[in-house]
Amino acid sequence: MADGIYRKILHARLRGQLSYRGSFLLDCLAQAIAQGGELVVILVLFNRITALGGFSVTEVLLVYALASTAFGMSDLFAGQLNALPMYIREGTFDVLLLRPLGTLPQLMASDLPLKRIGRVFSGLVVLGYALLHNDVVWTPWSVGLLLVTPVAGAVIFSGIWVLACSVCFWLVDGQELANTVTYGSNTFTSYPISVYSGWLRRLMAFVVPGAFVAYYPALALLDKTDPLGAPAWLGWVAPLVAALVAGLAGITWTFAVRHYRGTGS
Amino acid sequence: MIEVRDLRREFRVSEKAGFLRRAHRTVAAVDGVSFDVAAGEAVGYVGPNGAGKSTTIKMLTGILVPTSGTVRVSGVDPSRQRKELARRIGVVFGQRSQLWWDLPLKDSFELLKAIYRVSAPDFTARLAECVELLELGPFLTTPVRQLSLGQRMRGEVTASLLHAPELLVLDEPTIGLDLESKERLREFLAELNTKRGTTLLLTTHDLDDIQRLCPRLMVIDHGTVLADGPLADLRAEVSPDRVLVVDLEDAAPPLDDLPGVTSVRLEMGGKRQHLAFRRDVTTAAALITAVAARAEVHDLAVVEPEIDDVVRRLYERRHLGAECR
Ligand SMILES: Nc1ncnc2c1ncn2[C@@H]1O[C@H](COP(=O)(O)OP(=O)(O)OP(=O)(O)O)[C@@H](O)[C@H]1O
Ligand SMILES: [Mg+2]
């Protein structure tokens, strides 16, 4: 489907956006400040202690940066799903169903929030910093892993986003739940999972496969064994997990859309 | 073109019942509807508010999944082959815009061209035709949000036709338009149907739309089809009476003893008489002859019941029927 239709749609959205250039810059700034706030939390934390769940500050930063970049990339597209409850409540979802295109890609292309690129960008800056200050053994394998990880992470996040938002076809207030899951999983993945208590860890690592976004790949990059004793190969299977999540999300979405009921007027 | 069998769609509605409790109830918006529409037909789908018209349309166009029953439109199952269907039909919702709010009309059309993969020559030709017939020229470069309702509706119709659909479904296309805009739109649609052979299915509350456009009328209420057929047949079915209005040269006593006449209403002291007569007992011609034999006739007219009357009587008949049962 990458034959230019969505490129055209996005391009059209872009033209609409650029008419508000001032607010665009302001938005970018706000994003960067918010991101800075999260970083400050990590740094303040390490002012008091030297290790967190068996990880040094630069190692934590690597986990944080991988998660942040992945989330930023997923936010760029899946973030539009936040508008889904409005589409459902107002019945404008009808219009998406009348076009010979998938509803999910249409929703994702319904806006191109350039301001969110700020998040990807600052994630990459922190990632660069963390890579320079950790002992990463550079081999073709680790370079490949580094390139694939944020993409797989973005797919995992987007999949979680789609799964959570599917709830909106049944529950009018489903967005609250969906937001808790998506933003919650971002916060979770930003820290080594070893800092969490047992049940939360298992839930977030495997049920919501957040640990594959940053934690396990970071272990592989650092060539570090998991303090919790997970096998090393888990660091390499993020793309597989991403494919699974994406498949599950696709099936769930298709099922959910069949429960769309529109509005009475 | 359209094949509908025992179509049913329920909605679960919840209402406040006391302080935190909610009561759930299932309502059947469409309750066992069956009909066929052949290629090239123009069918009007009418009924009072909440009758189930929009719900039917949404099931025909793949927006809603039926609770039960079968639908085939253009040879496909709308809810299962939604994208396939979208390429073959055009849909216009009077109350729901399909254009991009902040883009000029022209840009919306360009996007649709890409989405429906319309070739450049086809696109140019079709757009040019709509621009001419619907007089879109003056506002082609205006952002959609700045268009008046009438202008936007013309844009919506054009948008739905760019991929040359074989079936055009319209849900209240004339709602809110002034008389002139309505007339222009009707004329355009009539031409589309007769010249291009595009099948039309439209819902409306303006029975003039039906009179002008649709040889066939379907009346629905409470989710079931009350009547389906040519307007003239429905008319004969609900009201066997026709009315002959005669203006006499001189006032005369009521001509209520002529054969076939069921009732008489006098005007102007008997100079004008409305003679209701049974169309199955006598003909207008026979009655006119009979009247002329009794009095000097100055002018006369045969009046058919208004289409509103026909539809109203169809609803009434159904409600009477329900009470009897
Ligand atoms: N999404 C929905 N949720 C709950 N009830 C609905 C929904 N959509 C329609 N209904 C109900 O179904 C019935 C039929 O609605 P529908 O919109 O099909 O009527 P309509 O014939 O189009 O009426 P109108 O002339 O007012 O447009 C109504 O009682 C309406 O309240
Ligand atoms: Mg309606």
Side-chain angles (χ1 to χ4, degrees):
Chain A
M1 271 318 241
D3 55 353
I5 294 176
Y6 292 106
R7 194 173 48 78
K8 288 201 175 86
I9 295 178
L10 285 172
H11 188 245
R13 306 307 313 162
L14 203 59
R15 252 176 301 159
Q17 284 231 332
L18 290 180
S19 45
Y20 318 104
R21 203 161 301 165
S23 80
F24 166 67
L25 288 176
L26 219 60
D27 280 337
C28 274
L29 198 66
Q31 286 271 329
I33 291 174
Q35 181 102 35
E38 291 175 8
L39 268 178
V40 167
V41 170
I42 296 183
L43 297 178
V44 165
L45 212 60
F46 275 91
N47 224 355
R48 298 296 168 109
I49 50 176
T50 50
L52 186 65
F55 288 78
S56 72
V57 64
T58 46
E59 289 169 344
V60 172
L61 280 180
L62 179 63
V63 174
Y64 171 82
L66 285 175
S68 188
T69 309
F71 187 78
M73 281 165 56
S74 125
D75 193 27
L76 223 44
F77 294 98
Q80 268 66 257
L81 288 175
N82 283 342
L84 179 64
M86 190 192 72
Y87 277 91
I88 292 178
R89 204 169 343 102
E90 294 175 3
T92 37
F93 197 78
D94 286 8
V95 177
L96 303 185
L97 288 166
L98 291 176
R99 303 212 174 106
L101 301 174
T103 46
L104 203 48
Q106 283 188 79
L107 260 184
M108 289 188 173
S110 64
D111 198 2
L112 185 62
L114 276 183
K115 60 185 183 196
R116 301 208 187 112
I117 284 181
R119 193 179 188 96
V120 180
F121 187 72
S122 53
L124 287 173
V125 170
V126 181
L127 184 60
Y129 176 89
L131 288 174
L132 287 177
H133 291 81
N134 278 305
D135 303 323
V136 179
V137 187
W138 294 111
T139 65
W141 283 102
S142 60
V143 171
L145 184 63
L146 182 65
L147 293 178
V148 164
T149 297
V151 178
V155 172
I156 292 177
F157 272 132
S158 304
I160 294 173
W161 218 311
V162 169
L163 281 166
C165 282
S166 300
V167 171
C168 298
F169 286 96
W170 286 274
L171 297 179
V172 182
D173 309 319
Q175 189 62 29
E176 295 292 323
L177 183 72
N179 280 345
T180 311
V181 174
T182 50
Y183 291 102
S185 58
N186 176 37
T187 308
F188 171 85
T189 49
S190 300
Y191 298 95
I193 63 166
S194 50
V195 306
Y196 301 102
S197 68
W199 67 270
L200 182 65
R201 194 158 62 211
R202 273 188 284 276
L203 174 77
M204 293 303 273
F206 295 105
V207 180
V208 184
F212 292 93
V213 171
Y215 179 71
Y216 291 133
L219 285 179
L221 281 173
L222 295 169
D223 201 15
K224 197 175 157 90
T225 44
D226 186 5
L228 303 169
W233 55 264
L234 284 182
W236 297 89
V237 294
L240 207 67
V241 174
L244 278 177
V245 173
L248 187 62
I251 292 170
T252 308
W253 179 264
T254 310
F255 180 71
V257 169
R258 291 183 69 81
H259 284 81
Y260 174 64
R261 45 186 284 165
T263 56
S265 61
Chain B
M1 186 64 74
I2 304 180
E3 242 182 80
V4 176
R5 289 290 170 276
D6 296 321
L7 189 61
R8 195 177 154 82
R9 170 73 206 207
E10 295 171 352
F11 288 108
R12 238 163 88 85
V13 288
S14 60
E15 326 171 307
K16 264 220 163 73
F19 182 56
L20 274 171
R21 269 186 49 241
R22 296 190 144 267
H24 293 280
R25 195 163 53 86
T26 303
V27 296
V30 171
D31 192 1
V33 165
S34 302
F35 63 87
D36 288 299
V37 175
E41 270 195 288
V43 181
Y45 198 45
V46 306
N49 289 127
K53 303 183 294 295
S54 298
T55 307
T56 311
I57 298 282
K58 285 178 189 170
M59 287 190 281
L60 293 179
T61 52
I63 293 173
L64 290 181
V65 180
T67 305
S68 65
T70 57
V71 189
R72 284 196 87 73
V73 177
S74 255
V76 302
D77 176 345
S79 71
R80 302 231 166 250
Q81 294 152 284
R82 181 181 70 73
K83 294 185 214 169
E84 186 58 45
L85 181 73
R87 299 193 175 282
R88 303 186 186 188
I89 68 169
V91 186
V92 175
F93 283 109
Q95 322 226 45
R96 179 105 63 234
S97 179
Q98 295 180 58
L99 302 166
W100 282 262
W101 209 235
D102 49 4
L103 290 187
L105 205 46
K106 185 96 201 301
D107 293 15
S108 279
F109 295 155
E110 293 280 352
L111 274 185
L112 289 168
K113 165 177 178 268
I115 289 176
Y116 286 94
R117 297 165 208 245
V118 183
S119 72
D122 281 351
F123 174 75
T124 314
R126 287 170 198 160
L127 184 58
E129 189 181 351
C130 287
V131 167
E132 191 198 324
L133 293 175
L134 290 169
E135 295 167 33
L136 301 177
F139 46 88
L140 261 183
T141 52
T142 313
V144 171
R145 71 183 123 85
Q146 291 173 17
L147 296 179
S148 77
L149 180 62
Q151 293 170 337
R152 186 171 65 72
M153 274 318 294
R154 284 183 264 161
E156 304 274 354
V157 172
T158 304
S160 72
L161 292 174
L162 290 174
H163 58 293
E166 48 192 10
L167 166 70
L168 184 61
V169 180
L170 309 105
D171 194 1
E172 305 197 29
T174 55
I175 189 167
L177 302 187
D178 66 25
L179 280 179
E180 198 200 321
S181 308
K182 276 184 184 175
E183 197 40 52
R184 196 194 333 236
L185 188 58
R186 283 172 194 150
E187 199 172 313
F188 177 81
L189 292 176
E191 199 150 299
L192 188 72
N193 177 241
T194 51
K195 294 232 174 89
R196 283 263 205 81
T198 305
T199 313
L200 294 183
L201 175 66
L202 65 98
T203 78
T204 181
H205 286 290
D206 185 340
L207 295 172
D208 289 341
D209 292 347
I210 306 290
Q211 197 124 7
R212 178 80 174 73
L213 276 173
C214 305
R216 175 175 160 202
L217 178 64
M218 262 188 332
V219 183
I220 178 177
D221 194 10
H222 291 103
T224 54
V225 175
L226 298 186
D228 180 354
L231 183 55
D233 289 8
L234 294 187
R235 208 173 243 153
E237 194 184 320
V238 289
S239 56
D241 288 359
R242 303 171 81 184
V243 176
L244 176 69
V245 182
V246 287
D247 283 357
L248 304 177
E249 288 295 349
D250 301 302
L255 300 165
D256 52 5
D257 53 343
L258 297 177
V261 172
T262 52
S263 68
V264 178
R265 190 160 61 81
L266 297 187
E267 247 181 272
M268 301 186 300
K271 272 188 86 171
R272 173 173 294 172
Q273 303 205 358
H274 297 251
L275 310 172
F277 65 97
R278 297 278 302 273
R279 69 174 90 209
D280 51 347
V281 172
T282 183
T283 63
L287 188 60
I288 290 167
T289 318
V291 172
R294 293 276 289 273
E296 188 108 2
V297 176
H298 173 67
D299 195 6
L300 56 81
V302 179
V303 188
E304 290 284 358
E306 287 289 322
I307 180 167
D308 299 44
D309 269 345
V310 174
V311 172
R312 191 165 39 77
R313 280 188 215 185
L314 280 167
Y315 299 159
E316 281 170 6
R317 194 176 62 168
R318 140 102 183 207
H319 293 177
L320 283 179
E323 271 160 33
C324 292
R325 261 183 268 129

